[in-house]
Amino acid sequence: CFFFYCMKLRTQILERKGKAEDSLRTKRLLWDDLEKLFHNQLTDSVSSNTKSQVFDPKLTTLTLERGYRVMAQLPTGKVKPISGNDIGTSKVMNLVLDKYVVPNANAQFDFLTKLRMVDIYSNLYGNFFAMVDWDVKKNGYVGPDMWLLNIRDVYPQVGAVSIEDSDYMIVRTWKPLSYFEGLNKQQGFKNLSKIVTKLKDIAGSKQNRGSDSTSKREEDQYPSVVSAKKAGYYEVLTQFEKDRWVDFCVDADMEFRDQKNPHDNDEIPIACKYSIPLLDDFMGMGDFERGKTMQMVINSTWNLYLAAVKMSIFPPALINKDNIAS
């Protein structure tokens, strides 16, 4: 019975991920185009036929300026007491937040940088996701932290229009072999020895991702190199339901944690920041989607103008060979 239960859970996670991938297939093509504009790559047909190949990064500059303006500093909100008995408690909570939580909530990047990236990428894609959870660090910090999620590693429930409207969300992460080896010392995990044994015989699958799972910058500027055995990063799918979290290692084809929502709040631990929320699109709409055509017009105009300038400086010469004295 346990074997069939595990197979059913595995099938459920992989099937839900596959359905989400199918629903986002067209959207990911749009992301590719928007990322090209963000990374200053020409996409219009006119500029591609000119020699100047100039890109005027107005849209990118506006987005970056907005991100650094909106998130110029950390939020300044404070805990306020609701009665005289709470004054001391509120002061302690503010000290804990400012001097303990914010300096240590630095997974991936420092907290201010993460807030800026959330704003910038939400304007690029229309929506951007982060996981908010409790963390225990080797430096002694025990508290909340925020992890930014790659837009292509988030698989929402098909048909849902927001996180609040969802029964579950699946998030893909990439973990090294040392991650699974380190979990042996913690409680609540299973199948770890089997997973470690299996992963030692194979290379990490992160470098084998298809073009639909990589950004245009990563695809264009970094070669696809297969890692050695026992090395690289291995695919992990986490299915977050409101009352249950399940971790599944795809490369080992095994689940290694199935637990009740540890926060016991009946919520999915994923936060999102919209640029422009829409009623009929989970991903919303960003400024890059709105300004895509105008950016292409600016680029094509610049390149046509420069081509005309070159023509005026170096006009083509027509030589009649019959009138040339030899």
Side-chain angles (χ1 to χ4, degrees):
C1 288
F2 179 73
F3 172 77
F4 288 111
Y5 167 78
C6 292
M7 289 300 295
K8 182 179 179 181
L9 185 59
R10 168 191 177 279
T11 302
Q12 180 192 72
I13 294 175
L14 294 178
E15 184 178 321
R16 286 176 170 178
K17 177 190 175 239
K19 294 293 185 184
E21 282 185 323
D22 291 339
S23 69
L24 292 172
R25 197 168 303 279
T26 304
K27 180 67 72 172
R28 288 180 175 182
L29 295 176
L30 173 63
W31 293 342
D32 288 345
D33 291 339
L34 301 183
E35 285 172 350
K36 287 181 179 179
L37 294 178
F38 183 63
H39 298 139
N40 297 347
Q41 295 178 329
L42 294 169
T43 59
D44 61 286
S45 58
V46 174
S47 296
S48 61
N49 293 320
T50 63
K51 291 186 177 181
S52 53
Q53 299 287 293
V54 170
F55 190 103
D56 185 358
K58 276 188 168 56
L59 193 54
T60 301
T61 301
L62 290 171
T63 300
L64 293 175
E65 285 184 345
R66 167 179 160 156
Y68 281 85
R69 185 173 64 251
V70 172
M71 300 297 178
Q73 61 185 15
L74 289 168
T76 57
K78 299 294 182 181
V79 178
K80 298 293 184 181
I82 59 175
S83 68
N85 296 330
D86 297 326
I87 294 178
T89 302
S90 65
K91 289 183 178 180
V92 171
M93 292 178 69
N94 284 320
L95 284 173
V96 169
L97 179 64
D98 295 337
K99 306 299 182 182
Y100 182 67
V101 174
V102 171
N104 287 287
N106 56 6
Q108 299 172 308
F109 305 95
D110 65 272
F111 194 59
L112 180 58
T113 298
K114 287 191 285 190
L115 293 179
R116 288 172 176 168
M117 291 175 71
V118 167
D119 189 77
I120 289 170
Y121 279 112
S122 68
N123 284 295
L124 172 59
Y125 299 114
N127 190 5
F128 197 66
F129 300 93
M131 187 180 79
V132 181
D133 195 11
W134 211 254
D135 194 15
V136 179
K137 297 186 177 180
K138 292 182 179 180
N139 65 357
Y141 173 71
V142 180
D145 207 335
M146 181 176 75
W147 291 262
L148 306 183
L149 301 176
N150 189 313
I151 193 76
R152 291 177 175 82
D153 289 335
V154 178
Y155 302 94
Q157 181 179 3
V158 176
V161 295
S162 67
I163 292 179
E164 290 72 18
D165 187 43
S166 304
D167 296 320
Y168 67 86
M169 287 188 69
I170 295 175
V171 175
R172 176 173 60 186
T173 52
W174 301 93
K175 303 294 184 183
L177 182 61
S178 58
Y179 168 79
F180 299 97
E181 293 174 334
L183 294 179
N184 277 316
K185 303 175 183 178
Q186 301 184 28
Q187 297 180 349
F189 296 91
K190 56 187 177 182
N191 297 326
L192 289 175
S193 59
K194 295 179 181 178
I195 291 175
V196 170
T197 301
K198 223 171 184 182
L199 296 184
K200 283 183 177 179
D201 293 331
I202 58 176
S205 62
K206 186 175 182 180
Q207 297 303 323
N208 297 330
R209 289 172 296 163
S211 59
D212 61 337
S213 296
T214 56
S215 68
K216 295 305 295 180
R217 186 178 184 86
E218 184 178 1
E219 183 180 344
D220 295 340
Q221 298 192 12
Y222 292 90
S224 180
V225 179
V226 178
S227 56
K229 287 185 178 181
K230 302 183 182 180
Y233 283 75
Y234 301 90
E235 184 177 359
V236 173
L237 297 178
T238 302
Q239 179 173 266
F240 292 108
E241 298 178 283
K242 294 182 178 181
D243 60 346
R244 181 188 184 193
W245 299 0
V246 179
D247 292 312
F248 176 75
C249 179
V250 177
D251 292 304
D253 199 23
M254 287 185 193
E255 147 211 1
F256 60 95
R257 182 168 61 174
D258 185 351
Q259 65 172 346
K260 178 184 176 183
N261 182 346
H263 301 304
D264 199 23
N265 57 4
D266 200 37
E267 292 182 3
I268 297 172
I270 308 295
C272 72
K273 189 269 178 183
Y274 284 99
S275 177
I276 304 172
L278 301 174
L279 283 174
D280 55 354
D281 190 343
F282 194 102
M283 295 301 175
M285 181 171 64
D287 289 342
F288 267 77
E289 185 177 351
R290 293 176 60 240
K292 175 184 174 182
T293 54
M294 184 56 67
Q295 179 67 66
M296 293 169 68
V297 167
I298 293 172
N299 292 335
S300 60
T301 302
W302 263 114
N303 285 292
L304 285 173
Y305 174 75
L306 292 173
V309 170
K310 181 181 178 181
M311 185 71 70
S312 64
I313 297 175
F314 304 104
L318 180 63
I319 300 175
N320 187 347
K321 64 180 181 178
D322 295 332
N323 294 330
I324 297 178
S326 59

